[in-house]
Amino acid sequence: MREKRLRRERLRRGALRRERLLRGALWRGALRRGALRRALGWGRKPATGTLVVLSFVVAVLAAPVILAGSSAVLRAAATQPASDRVTKPGGAAHANGPGSPSRSGQSSQAADVATIDVGRFPTSVAVDPVRGTVWVVNSLDGTLSEISARHRDLIATVKVGASPVDVAVDQRTGTVWVTCLGPFDRPAADNTVDEVSEASGKIIATFKVGLDPFGIAVDSRTGTVWVADSGSRAVSEISEARQAVVASLHTGAGSEPVGLAVDPSAGVVWVASPGGLVQEIRAATLAVTGTVQVRLDSPAKSLNAIAAYPGNDSAWVASDSYVDGGYVSYASALPRAASRVSGGVVISKPGWSANIADGIAVDPATSTVWVAENGGNTVTMISAGAGEVARNLATGPGPVAVAVDSQNGTVWVVDNIAGTVTEFSYAHPEFTTSSQVRLRPGRPAVVRVHTRGFPIAVMSVHGAVPPGMRVRIGAGTVAITGKPAASAAGRTFRVSVLADNGVGTANGLYTFTQHLVIQVGAPARTGHR
């Protein structure tokens, strides 16, 4: 009898701890907009497990719910499944676009956009550019989806621990690391990190960490894995070489570490708490070397995600506030060893929808920042050097996390409600037409300038064109049409055509120019008999 009472007490304390997380600043986007109701419609009562009734939800959940920063997790209550990889059988592509009903193991593709079906309630994503794989956590299924980046297709499903939350990849060792909250009815199995071999698709090690592990990040240079233990107010350090947790750093009162980011070039770990606290840790010494309090505009506020900006000595954070009856999202830059935010970008709303910035990623090769806008069903591309929103691209319902592949110019967005991943291939504008043109006066002519790259570039023209001709600007194109007047004969006209799609270079160049040289020859001679 005493053992039963102790077991019930452990379950009660676990439920209260997770309810506190829900009631606090961790419960973000999906709960606010009814994604929870949709998720409950997907759920099924597990064969084994414990049903938990949370006082603020008028429903019996098949699993406790954790919604945190860049992830929204419906925790599976079933026992931890065996570790194995299920390879997807070949399947035909389908015509679903972002937001369309999905079918398992299928994908839809366009030239620069693809939508790929994964598991139920996906919450996070990581990319291995070396092996060309993308890994997605399916929290409700307790699995990882393995996607071929080249073929844009699901190739395998890997079983991991119960209630997985976040994922990171070490491309040097070919391992995938997953934080798992664990089965709700077996506290001894809670709070773990699974190490998965990309080659075998099996769990090769499991590590016990602090309470409620959410965010995870890998430093491939040092072979170190960092875990945000939100319930313990700590960060765990795992050594890949020693296959052990080698240190735990207490982050102090007022912290609740949820998001993690690593800058290997600087040897810095960034830790974010929902209340706006960001701590900078020197990896070599485990010393906190900087603290920033990100200003949030209202009591109903949250800092939801963080990403490092390698080579720029900074990190970017995604946050939102509830102001005057609506949500306002921000992306803010944090320099190293600084005590304040250096700059911020207000993310515009796509129509009437509420915007909640749930995920963020940085591509240093193109100087872009990508923000998953839950509620607006978009991913926002920010030109980091210009400090402005460049594009809002439509995704599937409920984008909560985002990852970039700098080497291949792709961004992967987790569509939490749809159970899909949306991929965009992006590149800065490149001119594909000649810059030298010869025309004859009085003869109809069309001078076309084309660009490639995604998103489609916004074009502008500077300089005088030959008299008798006019400029027409299209999507990624310019057409100069008409008949050069006689007064243009024998003259050279120099026109600058500018293209900008928000994607830049590593040094922050966003506008690309073609200097068009238009030469108008002499009038055609009229023959006489």
mmCIF file of all heavy atoms in Angstrom, residues 43 78 153 168 238 438:
data_model
loop_
_atom_site.group_PDB
_atom_site.id
_atom_site.type_symbol
_atom_site.label_atom_id
_atom_site.label_comp_id
_atom_site.label_asym_id
_atom_site.label_seq_id
_atom_site.Cartn_x
_atom_site.Cartn_y
_atom_site.Cartn_z
ATOM 1 N N GLY A 43 -4.904 11.851 -31.449
ATOM 2 C CA GLY A 43 -4.391 10.928 -30.452
ATOM 3 C C GLY A 43 -5.297 9.727 -30.270
ATOM 4 O O GLY A 43 -6.500 9.755 -30.499
ATOM 5 N N ALA A 78 2.645 5.821 -23.587
ATOM 6 C CA ALA A 78 2.935 4.404 -23.757
ATOM 7 C C ALA A 78 4.360 4.099 -23.346
ATOM 8 O O ALA A 78 5.195 4.966 -23.235
ATOM 9 C CB ALA A 78 2.706 4.000 -25.211
ATOM 10 N N ASP A 153 12.317 13.250 -49.865
ATOM 11 C CA ASP A 153 11.372 12.166 -49.586
ATOM 12 C C ASP A 153 11.725 11.502 -48.267
ATOM 13 O O ASP A 153 12.890 11.446 -47.866
ATOM 14 C CB ASP A 153 11.425 11.139 -50.728
ATOM 15 C CG ASP A 153 10.167 10.272 -50.778
ATOM 16 O OD1 ASP A 153 9.211 10.566 -50.027
ATOM 17 O OD2 ASP A 153 10.139 9.305 -51.563
ATOM 18 N N ALA A 168 19.318 17.293 -32.558
ATOM 19 C CA ALA A 168 20.534 17.915 -33.082
ATOM 20 C C ALA A 168 21.362 16.836 -33.755
ATOM 21 O O ALA A 168 21.250 15.649 -33.425
ATOM 22 C CB ALA A 168 21.338 18.593 -31.967
ATOM 23 N N ILE A 238 27.432 16.622 -22.337
ATOM 24 C CA ILE A 238 27.709 15.217 -22.634
ATOM 25 C C ILE A 238 28.948 15.142 -23.514
ATOM 26 O O ILE A 238 29.045 15.852 -24.516
ATOM 27 C CB ILE A 238 26.521 14.554 -23.352
ATOM 28 C CG1 ILE A 238 25.260 14.600 -22.477
ATOM 29 C CG2 ILE A 238 26.848 13.113 -23.736
ATOM 30 C CD1 ILE A 238 24.012 14.111 -23.181
ATOM 31 N N ARG A 438 22.913 45.187 -79.083
ATOM 32 C CA ARG A 438 23.032 46.082 -80.230
ATOM 33 C C ARG A 438 21.664 46.202 -80.906
ATOM 34 O O ARG A 438 21.010 45.191 -81.190
ATOM 35 C CB ARG A 438 24.065 45.569 -81.234
ATOM 36 C CG ARG A 438 25.490 45.537 -80.683
ATOM 37 C CD ARG A 438 26.485 45.089 -81.747
ATOM 38 N NE ARG A 438 26.524 46.042 -82.860
ATOM 39 C CZ ARG A 438 27.318 47.126 -82.878
ATOM 40 N NH1 ARG A 438 28.114 47.388 -81.856
ATOM 41 N NH2 ARG A 438 27.318 47.925 -83.927
#
